[in-house]
Amino acid sequence: MPTLTAAGIEPLFRLLARYMPLEEADRRALAKLETGPVCHAEARSDIAREGENPTVIRLLISGWACRYKDLPDGRRQIVGFFLPGDFCDLNIYILSALDHSIGALTAVRYYEIQPQQFQDVIDARPHLLRALLWHEMVSAAIQREWLLSIGQRSPLERLGHLFVELYYRLKAVGLATGTGFDLPITQNHLAEANGLSLVHMNRTVQEMRREGLIELSDRQLRIVDLDRLKRVSMFNDNYLHFNR
Amino acid sequence: MPTLTAAGIEPLFRLLARYMPLEEADRRALAKLETGPVCHAEARSDIAREGENPTVIRLLISGWACRYKDLPDGRRQIVGFFLPGDFCDLNIYILSALDHSIGALTAVRYYEIQPQQFQDVIDARPHLLRALLWHEMVSAAIQREWLLSIGQRSPLERLGHLFVELYYRLKAVGLATGTGFDLPITQNHLAEANGLSLVHMNRTVQEMRREGLIELSDRQLRIVDLDRLKRVSMFNDNYLHFNR
DNA sequence: CGGATGCTTGATGTATCTCAAGACGTGTGG
DNA sequence: CCACACGTCTTGAGATACATCAAGCATCCG
């Protein structure tokens, strides 16, 4: 059970409010997304597979999911994390078939939103479209930053950078307390996201503990010295494009 | 000098036509983009730096450019290639500051397009917006595929995959003949794009030659056996989202 | 001619992977 | 209630893929 529970569209609302000022009317408009069915997926299950053609938009309410791609021989790369408040399939408006899979990393709850329902929200508060597009472009910027990480940063820098990124993202949706947060995924997931073997990821986590940068146990991560971790991992928050 | 010269908005028109049927009226609308000034940048120069806030949209006419990110200590990662017909800064509509730099890899020519000019084109032929958004989402899909490459594929697979991707992209804009194309960039650029050292990239290129997969000399690449190269690099073209 | 750029090769060190095994906690069925 | 399977974290040993350092050569160009 998470330290902080988040419900409904609250994480999404907080997220979008980082990009532009929102009003109560916006919250009420977004609340229409809550009328759809609440779906569940269990840990380690697929929510959608590459090649599928989803007809609904999924909005994550609780739990962690990921985008991943895999190769015919089983190698697998996590290319992004979905946190509460994230949409999984916003691009079905343009693209048809999925070029990646979506997997639940923990038990998750999400809304299945009909395109029309979504359209109604935009029609009611058109500037929300801009905020949503903004969020999509930030997602693309995160992908670029990951490319820099995997291509150039050392394992320690990579992991540190990921932790800081997750910290800021979770803080934006109200899921971080102080400098700690719930990290409900396994070291294997961290390895798959960072292009490292599980063994090496484990040793990297331990090195990070030894350096006094983090504390991690029982799925709770605490960043001991945020400034130092940012320096070590060469973290520059400009790619998250928060306005405040 | 390239084998095939491409001029004006022709590459862009061909590109968008891979996504949806376009008519002559669309070509004429896009031709309005040609009225802006034609700018030049020389090889190895920056077109824009991270942190800048561009007010124009750049459309590449000829030559190759790239998006790259760098770290304070000089390490650098190319996160995407711009080929003729690509827009460099389409996202200035939403995001303000650039979170990456744009560099010319060869001598390049490009249009600087005013936002209003761009808007006029969309107003004239609204469905072009959909095609342009489509192209942006394909760019994001390419980033994901690169993440898979760098994270999981071996150097040989990585390079092979990149060559096949470039082949399809260049073919889409009419810049590939048969299974060959102009590859005007250096092995160092290939290394920076694939997260490898120059020395190792060089050895990988040679291995690929030895395997009879490619021929490469004088900036001309010929894919000797496309099917085999695709098999070796586990290439699946679904992420390019071409309709035809 | 001299300097810049790009390609190539060799030698050496090390970062990272792979294989293998054990410890611990949790849930489950007999 | 115990036995067992399963998931996760951890550690050790050995192999190797890749980076780094260094140098030589070719081509182009001013």
Side-chain angles (χ1 to χ4, degrees):
Chain A
M1 193 172 297
T3 309
L4 298 173
T5 52
I9 50 89
E10 190 56 28
L12 175 63
F13 181 81
R14 293 195 194 192
L15 197 53
L16 299 183
R18 297 301 289 262
Y19 304 133
M20 54 180 64
L22 295 186
E23 302 165 19
E24 271 311 304
D26 296 310
R27 180 184 257 114
R28 280 196 301 277
L30 288 170
K32 287 179 197 144
L33 300 177
E34 292 177 329
T35 59
V38 174
C39 301
H40 296 255
E42 55 184 43
R44 275 167 276 116
S45 69
D46 275 337
I47 295 174
R49 274 295 294 173
E50 180 174 348
E52 275 179 31
N53 201 330
T55 58
V56 293
I57 301 161
R58 281 167 273 236
L59 171 61
L60 197 54
I61 305 170
S62 67
W64 286 34
C66 71
R67 265 196 243 269
Y68 72 90
K69 301 193 63 137
D70 45 12
L71 295 172
D73 62 7
R75 278 175 283 174
R76 166 173 132 130
Q77 175 70 35
I78 291 178
V79 298
F81 289 116
F82 291 121
L83 309 180
D86 284 331
F87 286 100
C88 302
D89 334 81
L90 212 46
N91 54 11
I92 67 167
Y93 274 108
I94 306 280
L95 302 180
S96 46
L98 277 180
D99 54 55
H100 57 267
S101 301
I102 300 175
L105 299 174
T106 69
V108 299
R109 288 185 310 132
Y110 58 93
Y111 293 123
E112 277 194 1
I113 299 165
Q114 300 298 323
Q116 185 53 52
Q117 207 180 339
F118 192 81
Q119 193 59 52
D120 291 345
V121 174
I122 303 299
D123 290 344
R125 306 287 297 174
H127 68 157
L128 285 177
L129 179 58
R130 187 181 168 81
L132 290 162
L133 275 177
W134 193 319
H135 190 48
E136 282 300 293
M137 309 209 103
V138 169
S139 298
I142 291 175
Q143 310 260 32
R144 288 191 286 269
E145 190 68 39
W146 281 35
L147 223 25
L148 174 62
S149 271
I150 298 196
Q152 303 298 331
R153 279 189 250 253
S154 73
L156 189 77
E157 293 162 353
R158 236 179 274 186
L159 183 61
H161 193 278
L162 177 61
F163 282 158
V164 177
E165 175 183 304
L166 289 172
Y167 167 65
Y168 280 117
R169 288 179 61 192
L170 287 166
K171 206 167 64 148
V173 293
L175 287 173
T177 55
T179 57
F181 55 88
D182 207 30
L183 185 78
I185 60 176
T186 67
Q187 292 189 4
N188 198 33
H189 294 139
L190 292 174
E192 289 179 319
N194 282 310
L196 294 172
S197 69
L198 166 61
V199 171
H200 203 69
M201 176 50 74
N202 179 268
R203 289 178 171 135
T204 304
V205 168
Q206 291 178 56
E207 182 183 357
M208 198 163 267
R209 284 199 192 102
R210 233 179 302 119
E211 294 284 338
L213 290 165
I214 60 158
E215 289 168 5
L216 174 59
S217 63
D218 294 323
R219 306 275 135 117
Q220 292 296 315
L221 180 78
R222 195 171 82 79
I223 298 178
V224 176
D225 186 339
L226 181 59
D227 282 341
R228 205 164 116 245
L229 190 56
K230 284 169 76 168
R231 223 174 318 115
V232 165
S233 58
M234 284 166 285
F235 188 93
N236 176 338
D237 68 2
N238 67 353
Y239 75 103
L240 294 174
H241 295 278
F242 287 137
N243 256 354
R244 57 231 164 91
Chain B
M1 191 172 299
T3 308
L4 298 174
T5 52
I9 50 89
E10 190 56 27
L12 175 62
F13 181 80
R14 292 194 194 192
L15 198 54
L16 300 184
R18 297 301 291 261
Y19 304 134
M20 55 180 62
L22 296 186
E23 301 165 20
E24 271 311 305
D26 296 309
R27 179 184 260 115
R28 281 196 301 275
L30 288 170
K32 286 179 198 146
L33 300 177
E34 292 177 330
T35 58
V38 174
C39 301
H40 296 255
E42 55 184 42
R44 274 167 276 118
S45 69
D46 275 336
I47 295 175
R49 274 296 293 175
E50 179 173 349
E52 276 179 29
N53 202 329
T55 59
V56 293
I57 300 161
R58 282 168 273 238
L59 172 60
L60 197 55
I61 305 170
S62 67
W64 287 35
C66 72
R67 264 196 244 269
Y68 71 89
K69 301 194 63 137
D70 44 13
L71 295 173
D73 62 6
R75 279 175 281 174
R76 165 173 133 129
Q77 175 71 36
I78 291 178
V79 298
F81 289 116
F82 292 120
L83 308 180
D86 285 331
F87 287 99
C88 302
D89 336 80
L90 213 47
N91 55 11
I92 67 166
Y93 275 109
I94 306 281
L95 303 180
S96 45
L98 276 179
D99 54 54
H100 57 268
S101 301
I102 300 175
L105 299 174
T106 69
V108 299
R109 289 186 308 132
Y110 59 93
Y111 294 123
E112 278 194 1
I113 299 165
Q114 299 299 324
Q116 186 54 51
Q117 208 179 341
F118 193 80
Q119 193 60 52
D120 291 344
V121 174
I122 303 299
D123 289 345
R125 307 287 296 173
H127 67 157
L128 285 177
L129 179 59
R130 188 181 168 80
L132 290 163
L133 275 177
W134 192 319
H135 190 49
E136 282 300 294
M137 308 210 105
V138 169
S139 298
I142 290 175
Q143 309 260 34
R144 288 191 287 270
E145 189 69 38
W146 281 36
L147 223 25
L148 174 61
S149 270
I150 299 196
Q152 303 298 330
R153 280 188 250 252
S154 74
L156 189 77
E157 293 163 353
R158 238 179 271 185
L159 183 61
H161 193 278
L162 178 61
F163 283 158
V164 177
E165 175 182 304
L166 289 171
Y167 167 64
Y168 279 118
R169 287 178 61 192
L170 287 167
K171 207 168 63 150
V173 293
L175 287 174
T177 55
T179 56
F181 55 88
D182 207 30
L183 185 78
I185 60 175
T186 68
Q187 292 189 4
N188 199 32
H189 294 138
L190 292 174
E192 289 179 319
N194 282 310
L196 294 171
S197 69
L198 166 61
V199 171
H200 203 72
M201 175 51 74
N202 179 269
R203 289 178 171 136
T204 305
V205 168
Q206 292 177 55
E207 181 184 356
M208 199 165 266
R209 285 200 191 102
R210 234 180 301 118
E211 295 282 338
L213 290 165
I214 60 159
E215 288 167 6
L216 175 58
S217 63
D218 294 324
R219 306 273 136 117
Q220 292 296 315
L221 179 79
R222 196 171 82 78
I223 298 178
V224 176
D225 186 339
L226 181 60
D227 282 341
R228 207 165 114 245
L229 190 57
K230 285 169 76 169
R231 225 173 315 116
V232 166
S233 58
M234 284 166 285
F235 188 93
N236 176 339
D237 69 1
N238 67 352
Y239 75 103
L240 293 175
H241 294 280
F242 286 139
N243 256 355
R244 54 227 166 99

